Amino acid sequence: MIPLGLGEIADIVGGKTEGDSSVTVTAPAVLDSRQAEPGGVFVAFAGEHVDGHDYAEQAGRAGAAAVLGSRPTTLPTVVVEDVQTALQRLAAHVVARLRDGLTVVGVTGSQGKTGTKDLLAAVLSGAGPTVATIGSLNNELGVPLTMLRTQAATRFLVLEMGARHVGDIAELTGLVAPDIAVVLNVGVAHLGQFGSRAAIARTKGELVQGLAPGGTAVLNADDSQVVAMRALTGGPVVTFGEAAHADVRALDLELDSLGRPSFTLRTVGASAPVALPLLGAHQALNASAAAAAALAAGVPLHLAAAGLANVSLSPWRMEPRDLACGATLLNDSYNANPDSTRVALDALAAIEGGRRIAVLGAMLELGDDSEAEHRAVGAYAAVRADVVVAVGEAARPIADGAGERSMVLSDNGAAVDWLRAHLTTGDVVLVKASRAARLDEVAAALG
């Protein structure tokens, strides 16, 4: 966050100051009072059940210098009518002030956004100070919060951009037009909200349409709906993927005994070897996307490859852990949709060991296709795992699709009990479901 006086912030967002208007904010904005930093600003929302303004004093004890809210608090406060709008205006202003010398990259797709964002942030960090989305804070609040972490020295800003409705990404690019737009794929995540894959494609295309003048679109050459987005821009296009015509390709893919991919990144004029410290063949495609975006940002291929070797993913994304019983846990519990579950199952199958056990919960927001999609995932799991455990009644269609290799357990507690009783040395167990299923509780309980 660049230093801003409270009065200046009030002018930017169209609010008024209550309390000491001479206070200067020097640290990022937060929504959680416990995460406030010295000199930062606490953004207070009055919700249906919890009023953030009541936590201003706690934020102050953590170091917050001020509050952005809809009523006065015990800290110096900028009072506005609409806190979300004010937060977005402040973020847009800060990034606009820093735009010279700052390259902004937007990343979207039905799956793989967070992993690719993490890969790209690792690459760009080797070329200059980089700010990137923390975890999956990719919505109308998370994007401006990330933008407000930029400073005068920041060279790259990597923004993961998610959506649940048509127009959501257009709203985000309205805050800052990216110089580089990365579109990974068009899948069925949130199909229940969008209604059709065509609507999902239109929404992902909003990132390309929102490019800054002369900005570069980085598109998946293997996804026909993504490649078609080149028609949405008159600027440069860089493609990635397995297709022979892709500008950046990951070739000669091999997996080690832990399922970690090594491959060669190749462009028309250069090539570089990569060994990722991540699990799953699908990460090679994500790495090629990150490399393509890095090339568009002016980072040479050999430096991009070097950065990829040192990446780590956000928590609960194919996170391996050795258990006391001698089994290996793959904690991929952050979220799930049919496509991301399939690639996780592929990763499970690629790891050498004893039994492969897939512990799967419900995948939400699939609309009328939900039962069929769950059954299809179950059938897919049955040929990649020795045991398929469906957790919760909503996940029963997974077991139906998996057939005799499957079982249904009533809840997370039952899943923990079964795993503790049955896991043994050499087993590999994958835990994956939509966030609401909270299968991270299962992973945590296993130790």
Side-chain angles (χ1 to χ4, degrees):
M1 177 78 168
I2 60 175
L4 290 172
L6 206 61
E8 186 178 4
I9 292 175
D11 290 340
I12 292 166
V13 302
K16 62 178 183 179
T17 58
E18 296 284 348
D20 185 359
S21 61
S22 68
V23 165
T24 297
V25 172
T26 58
V30 297
L31 300 181
D32 187 333
S33 60
R34 297 165 297 183
Q35 297 174 353
E37 299 179 25
V41 59
F42 170 51
V43 183
F45 285 88
E48 183 178 351
H49 302 293
V50 177
D51 188 342
H53 300 80
D54 295 338
Y55 295 86
E57 187 173 343
Q58 183 182 62
R61 289 195 297 270
V67 171
L68 175 63
S70 55
R71 64 175 173 82
T73 72
T74 55
L75 291 180
T77 304
V78 173
V79 178
V80 296
E81 290 186 6
D82 187 322
V83 177
Q84 177 176 306
T85 298
L87 175 66
Q88 292 176 343
R89 284 179 180 170
L90 180 61
H93 175 88
V94 167
V95 172
R97 289 258 299 260
L98 300 173
R99 208 61 171 94
D100 290 343
L102 179 67
T103 297
V104 179
V105 186
V107 180
T108 196
S110 294
Q111 60 273 341
K113 293 186 294 296
T114 301
T116 302
K117 174 266 301 179
D118 291 338
L119 287 160
L120 180 56
V123 169
L124 295 178
S125 293
T130 299
V131 169
T133 302
I134 295 173
S136 295
L137 296 175
N138 59 24
N139 62 9
E140 67 279 1
L141 299 179
V143 169
L145 288 174
T146 304
M147 293 167 65
L148 287 172
R149 289 171 40 223
T150 55
Q151 300 177 354
T154 304
R155 183 176 172 190
F156 300 105
L157 174 61
V158 182
L159 296 170
E160 180 180 329
M161 294 186 175
R164 291 177 181 271
H165 308 91
V166 173
D168 283 354
I169 291 178
E171 178 182 336
L172 298 178
T173 60
L175 303 180
V176 55
D179 302 292
I180 301 168
V182 183
V183 184
L184 300 172
N185 42 56
V186 174
V188 295
H190 311 306
L191 184 61
Q193 275 70 30
F194 286 101
S196 69
R197 289 189 67 163
I200 295 173
R202 286 199 302 274
T203 304
K204 304 306 180 188
E206 291 169 7
L207 183 60
V208 177
Q209 291 173 306
L211 276 165
T216 300
V218 176
L219 305 177
N220 185 349
D222 301 332
D223 188 318
S224 60
Q225 294 190 83
V226 175
V227 171
M229 294 177 192
R230 66 166 63 242
L232 302 177
T233 178
V237 174
V238 178
T239 58
F240 63 92
E242 297 179 359
H245 62 271
D247 297 310
V248 180
R249 303 175 69 194
L251 302 176
D252 307 321
L253 175 65
E254 295 181 355
L255 300 177
D256 68 10
S257 62
L258 297 178
R260 296 174 300 196
S262 60
F263 49 91
T264 299
L265 281 176
R266 185 166 298 166
T267 66
V268 172
S271 65
V274 176
L276 289 178
L278 310 176
L279 304 184
H282 64 286
Q283 296 293 358
L285 181 66
N286 292 343
S288 66
L295 289 172
V299 178
L301 186 66
H302 71 281
L303 293 182
L308 290 169
N310 299 310
V311 70
S312 60
L313 296 184
S314 298
W316 303 349
R317 277 88 171 176
M318 290 304 290
E319 189 174 88
R321 188 162 77 243
D322 294 330
L323 302 179
C325 64
T328 299
L329 171 69
L330 304 181
N331 183 359
D332 201 31
S333 61
Y334 185 81
N335 214 339
N337 61 61
D339 295 321
S340 68
T341 303
R342 288 186 178 91
V343 297
L345 289 164
D346 288 341
L348 172 67
I351 297 175
E352 296 180 8
R355 294 179 303 168
R356 293 166 180 82
I357 302 170
V359 180
L360 306 175
M363 301 173 293
L364 304 183
E365 301 177 354
L366 296 175
D368 294 338
D369 294 333
S370 180
E371 183 171 350
E373 292 286 359
H374 280 80
R375 283 178 176 271
V377 162
Y380 197 86
V383 296
R384 285 158 179 81
D386 299 293
V387 181
V388 179
V389 179
V391 182
E393 191 61 30
R396 181 174 291 276
I398 294 176
D400 294 340
E404 62 183 16
R405 290 179 179 265
S406 70
M407 68 182 71
V408 180
L409 297 177
S410 59
D411 55 26
N412 290 353
V416 171
D417 290 342
W418 187 90
L419 289 165
R420 284 176 173 166
H422 291 87
L423 285 180
T424 189
T425 299
D427 287 345
V428 184
V429 56
L430 168 70
V431 177
K432 188 167 182 63
S434 280
R435 188 75 196 94
R438 299 197 62 82
L439 287 198
D440 58 287
E441 296 174 349
V442 174
L446 293 177

